[in-house]
Each structure stands twice: as C-alpha cells, then as structure tokens.
Amino acid sequence: MAETLAIHGGTPVRQDPFEGPSHHYGDADVEAAAEVIRSGFTTDKREAFERAFAARHELRHGVAVNSGTSAIHTCVAALNPDPGDEIIVTPWTSGGSIIGLLLQNCIPIFADIDDTYTLDPVDVESKITSRTRAIIAVHLFGNPCPMDALRDIADRHDLVLIEDCAQAHDSEFQGGRVGTFGDIAGYSFGIKHLAAGGGGAVLTSNQSLWERAVLFRDAALPRPDGPLEGRPYANYFLAPNYKINEMTAAVLLSQLDRLDGYIERKIEAAYTIIGGVSDLGVLTPQRVRARDRHTYWVLSFTLDTERLNCSAFDFAEAVSAEGIPFMGPYIDSGREGPLYRNPFLTKPDLYGSGRFPLDYERDNPVDYEQVRCPNGEELMGRGINLLMRPSLSSQDTEDVVTALRKVADYYLAGSP
Ligand SMILES: Cc1ncc(COP(=O)(O)O)c(C=O)c1O
C-alpha cells in the first residue's frame, strides 16, 4: 500500500522549509559592495570584472551589462540586423532569450529540441531562409547545445552564432567551455551560478562585434578607451544605457572566487538525486552527451506519464506538497508552455496595435498560433524541474529522493 501523499492529508517528507537562500553571499561580498559606496562610486570594478570574466573564458572582450535580457539584446544589436531579420532559437527558454531580438525588430523563428532539451540541428537547418541572420543556442538548465553541429550550420549559411549562457556558466561541450564556440555569448547574473542579484555580460573575441556591443550598452557614446574615443561627444547610433552598476560588478568579482565550489556542489547533488530514482524507470533525466558537462542550474526529469497515469503538473504539485519545490511542466507551472504560446507572441502584443515586426516586408505576417515543435512539446509537457542551490545538504538531497519516490510509488500503485 502506497503512503498517503501530503497533498491528500498525509505527513510531508519535509517538515522544515526546504528553500534556503537561492545563493550564498557573505562578508566578502558585503565588503566589496561597501568599498564601492565608500569610494563614491569611483571604483573601476566594471572593467576589472570584464577582464576577469573574459580571461576565465580565454576570450578577448567582456562587456558587463545590467541583466541577462540586456546581454542577449546587446549580442543581437552587435550584428546590427535589419528589421524583419530572422533569428532561430528554441522556444523552451526564458523570454529573456528573445525579448532583445524583438526590441531590435527581428523575428524569432522557433526550432525543435531533442532529449538534451537543446536545439536539434536538423530542425534548425530546415528553418533557415534568405532572411535568417543568426542562431541563438540556449544551453538549457546548464546542458550544452550541440555546438559542433550548430557552428557548422552557421558557417555554411553565413550566420552569426550567439550563445545564451545565462543558465550554463562553466558548462562544457566536449571539453570546451560554453561561450567559446559562438561568435558572441550572453550571460545573466540573476539567480544563476554566478550571481549578484542581477546583472549580465557579453563575451566575444570578435573585434567588430565587441565594438558595436560595447557602444550599444552605453548609448553609443565616445568614451575613453572605447571604439569612438576622441570623437566629439554625441550619440552615434540608437542604443540604450545597459551599463552594469559598479556595486554589482564588485559583488560579481568577489563571487568569482567561489563559483567553482557552487557549481561542483550542484552537480554532485544532481548526481545523487538522479541515482536515487533511476531504478524507478519513470523519471528520465535530461540527456547529457558523453564528454559534456551539465552544470545543473536546474535538475529536470521527463516523466513516463503513461505508466504513472498522471500529468507532470499533478506530479510536481504532489512533490511540492511533500515540501520539495518542484516546478512542472517546464518553468513555474509551465501552463503557457513554449514561448510561441505566450500572449506577447500569440496576440501579438509587441508594438501598439500593429503586428510589426512580424509583418515587415512580408506578404503573410508570422503567425505563432501556427507554430509547432512536436518533439519539444511532447518532452517538455512531461517535465518536472528543481532549481538547484549551492547550499543543498545531504539531508536535502535525501529528502528530494524520498519525496520523488513516495509520489512515484503512489501513482505507480494505481491510486487515483
Ligand atoms: C536562458 C536565459 N536567457 C536570458 C535570461 C534573462 O536573464 P535576466 O533575468 O538576467 O534578464 C534568462 C533568465 O533567467 C535565461 O534563463
């Protein structure tokens, strides 16, 4: 007889709150921020962080910005695309992966994923048209995209390859760190492996992309040491102010020292949880290629909903009632599903009451109601996910396994 689930009035696996701080900040971070304030914001932490973060990736340039969304926007703006240009991207990602390209008047074209939850190169290639300018490779949850195949496609079709590394700091594709395969890469420092309560960065070794990116994040002004140094003070093209705050940069610099430890702990915890439920045969973890390094910003499973006879939403809700905050399907409740089902694209609600840029110089406007990515819909509709924290203790991971097993046993026993 399966145990009574907490959602049905049983005793939850976890009595104490599970959610500790999503990240670890300490005295060194407080001191780093205080130093900036004491100086009257005259420090040069931004440049120091840009150098350190670029050096960590063995790339030439870093451009620190105020969020991951603005980082990806800056990557796109660095190409200086024309209105209506198409950019191929996964629909299973944060809106932050595509908001910038829409603000730059480009059009997201969605390609399907496989069981790594990252872009399927065959589907990417089938979506290329004469208007395609770029591909955005999102390393979802920390699992790397197939960067060899995507690089090859980008080269053959003369496209720019952007990496969205927001969730995947220090992940590795076949031994190489993500962010180093594309032409330009964007990072977020919200609740991520490297975090400072917000902020973002762009990395590239491409000189012309860097020049446009570093100008774009600073209103295209002619700053000392910048690409327009020495020119009269003026705004040289349309660009926002996306500069990172000195205090955020200072905390990021301080956090860099501890980043390796945070990531290693998440990976270790993920392996323990995966190992603890593998014999059940109904929870399949996100597939990781041999020789790739998934850094487990989020731990994700696809459920065998047929055998369990329940939805991913019900399963996640039952595990959450046990005191372990699983989301599902996909992020949060995932009711909206892929980005092409989100109201800002389906209504669409972009610029006023028109359809721009979806109808720009085209006979038929792009209609997201018609878009389907069948593999991803099938897979991600059965997904449950746990946001990983550096502070996960062995008691925490044990409780995660116990809760998953309890709920799986209940449904496998055929209880309604
Ligand atoms: C893949 C991805 N890209 C972009 C972003 C946007 O980052 P931010 O929230 O810092 O703007 C996020 C945020 O979580 C993300 O997960």
Side-chain angles (χ1 to χ4, degrees), residues 218-222 228 231-237:
D218 189 17
L221 287 164
L228 300 176
R231 299 254 203 117
Y233 187 87
N235 302 94
Y236 283 82
F237 58 84

Side-chain angles (χ1 to χ4, degrees), residues 59 147 151 161-163 178-185 203-205:
L59 292 169
M147 294 313 294
R151 180 75 267 173
L161 182 55
I162 298 170
E163 287 184 70
V178 301
T180 64
F181 294 90
D183 299 291
I184 189 164
L203 295 181
T204 183
S205 284

Side-chain angles (χ1 to χ4, degrees), residues 67-70 72 93-94 96-97 138 164 166-167 188-190 192 199 297:
S67 74
T69 305
S70 50
I72 305 299
T93 180
S94 154
S97 298
V138 182
D164 182 339
Q167 305 181 357
S188 159
F189 305 125
K192 301 294 180 340
W297 178 64

